Structure formats: structure tokens, C-alpha cells
Amino acid sequence: MTTLIMGIVNVTPDSFSDGGRYADADTAIAHGLWLRAEGANLLDVGGESTRPGAERVAPRVEQERVLPVVRALAEAGAVVSIDTMNASTALAAVEAGARYVNDVSGGLADSDLLAAVATTNADLVLGHWRGPSADMYARAEYADVVQEVLRELTDRADAAAAAGIPPSRLVVDPGIGFGKKGAQNWDVLRALPRVVGLGHRVLVGTSRKRFLTEALATDGAADDPSVTESRRDLATAVTSVLAAQAGAWAVRVHDVVATRDALRVSEMWRRPGVAGVRG
Ligand code: PMM
């Protein structure tokens, strides 16, 4: 099984790591097409930042940002995912051509979302989440982070099934960085085979996240300026390969080329005679 690459298209003025860079529709569309040409299998379009401390955005503003981008990328033939916690945005984006709804809150932020997605043919990504970004670290209290993430993901998948979404349309995501501090993210990543063992497709998003900066910084500081974007992209390519080896269905990344190359090299290592190897 080849792990898919989900390229990130943030249409936000304040996203986690690429905030503002692709804030207008034309630039975001061009960026999405570029990521696709680089090898992204899916494009994840988001109009609301989930950066720690971020405030919520009104669904109307979110839709103004994302819908033209979703429409143009879907018309160009891309498989588009809409990164939203709002039922109304999910429905409008599916109408505009999105084939996946990616809800980092796993259907918890908007109690209408699961039922809304059930009325469509879209697949649904359920993230592990404990509350809004504004105070998510306050909820990062676990007796056993792995057990609790597994149980809470199972609860969300059960809720989605109860809302009428068949399990074949579900993807689960352990929500790296969401309501989890440094070491807790590594605990969850180490346990990825158990997340895969839940029986759903698994998406993993580590790209440029704070826990990677903390891991690379000399003194563990999340704001260490020497941990540049390219260093975080290299770290992301490594975590993406490790996620793939643990059975992830897809990885969500900003730098598609770095992860594509890393996945390719890992495939060469693991599979003798894989197409493309010249003797
Ligand atoms: N992370 C972010 C946004 N959306 N969606 C999924 N499914 N998984 C993630 O880990 C995830 C996500 C935050 O990162 P960004 O602001 O850099 O896009």
C-alpha cells in the first residue's frame, strides 16, 4: 500500500505555519495546482486557522475564502478535501466539488456536522480533539494519552456511524498537536500501529508543528529561530515516512516534494525491484 500525500492549501491570514502566504483565492488555487503537479494525491483546503490560540472564524467568512478555491481545484480534476469544523461549510464545499470533509474536531465542534456529511457521498476525516484552539493546551491532561486518544477516536467513529456514515467512508486522525503537548505527540506517534488497528484509514498531520520545532531546538524552545521552515520540512518528511511504515493511509504536509521523495526512498529500501529502480 502506498501512502497518499495530502497537500495543504490554507486560505487564511493566520495559519499555523504558512499564514497569509496564500490568503487570496487566485494565489491559493495556483498553490494547490502546484502541489498537485509536485505529487499531492489530495488537496486539503482550509479557511480557518487551527493554530494554538487562534480565534474562531464565522462560517460565512470561511466560505468566502474556501469555496472559490475548492471549486477551481475540483474543476481542474484534483481530489479536494475541505478542512472545516462547520456543517454549513462542509455542505457548501461538497456542493463545490470536495470529496472529503476533514474535521479536526471529529464532529464535536458543530453538532450538525456528522448528520450533514451523512447526506452527502463525501468521505469524512475525524480528528482527535479536546476543544477549541484558543485554549487547547489546557485540555492536554491525560492519565494514558494513547488509551484516551484511541477511546475518544472510537467514540467519534461510533457517533459518525450512528449518524449514518458507513465505516468505509471514515478516516481517523490522532490529531497531532491538538490538545497534546510535546512528549504526548511522540507517545501517540509511537502507538500509530494501534490507531491503524482500529480498522479505519488513518491520516497523520505532523507538518511543521510545534513539537517538531521543540525536538530540533537546542534548548527545546518552540520559538527557536534557528529551526527554519526547511528544517521543519525535513523533520516532517521523516515523520511522514515513519507514519507510512506504521500503516498510515495518508500524510498531510506543506512541502509535498520533500515528503514525496522521502516516501519514495523508503519504498526503494523496503521493496526490492520496485518500479523505477535501475540496476
Ligand atoms: N492540522 C492542522 C490543520 N488541519 N487536519 C488534519 N486532519 N490533521 C491535522 O493534523 C491537521 C489538520 C494544523 O496545521 P496547519 O495550520 O499548518 O494547516
Side-chain angles (χ1 to χ4, degrees), residues 10 15-16 50 83 102 104 125 173 178 203 205 209 252 254:
N10 281 326
S15 194
F16 183 65
T50 48
D83 187 344
N102 170 24
V104 296
V125 180
D173 181 329
F178 288 94
L203 173 65
K209 284 188 177 168
R252 181 182 179 279
H254 298 88

Side-chain angles (χ1 to χ4, degrees), residues 6 8-10 12 14-18 44 48-52 81 83 102-104 125-127 172-178 203-209 252 254:
M6 175 183 270
I8 301 172
V9 183
N10 281 326
T12 52
D14 62 345
S15 194
F16 183 65
S17 68
D18 55 2
D44 190 39
E48 177 179 8
S49 172
T50 48
R51 171 179 57 83
S81 153
D83 187 344
N102 170 24
D103 179 0
V104 296
V125 180
L126 296 164
V172 294
D173 181 329
I176 297 304
F178 288 94
L203 173 65
V204 179
T206 58
S207 194
R208 297 182 184 167
K209 284 188 177 168
R252 181 182 179 279
H254 298 88

Side-chain angles (χ1 to χ4, degrees), residues 5-108:
I5 300 175
M6 175 183 270
I8 301 172
V9 183
N10 281 326
V11 202
T12 52
D14 62 345
S15 194
F16 183 65
S17 68
D18 55 2
R21 216 179 289 172
Y22 311 111
D24 77 87
D26 288 344
T27 317
I29 293 163
H31 183 63
L33 294 174
W34 180 249
L35 294 182
R36 187 171 177 236
E38 288 184 327
N41 308 98
L42 309 143
L43 296 176
D44 190 39
V45 179
E48 177 179 8
S49 172
T50 48
R51 171 179 57 83
E55 295 299 330
R56 297 298 311 268
V57 169
R60 184 185 51 76
V61 175
E62 182 189 33
Q63 288 162 34
E64 279 168 11
R65 290 177 182 172
V66 295
L67 294 180
V69 180
V70 168
R71 196 170 292 113
L73 293 175
E75 277 171 8
V79 178
V80 178
S81 153
I82 177 69
D83 187 344
T84 186
M85 294 189 270
N86 295 310
S88 60
T89 303
L91 285 177
V94 171
E95 187 74 20
R99 305 223 315 245
Y100 287 81
V101 173
N102 170 24
D103 179 0
V104 296
S105 84
L108 285 172

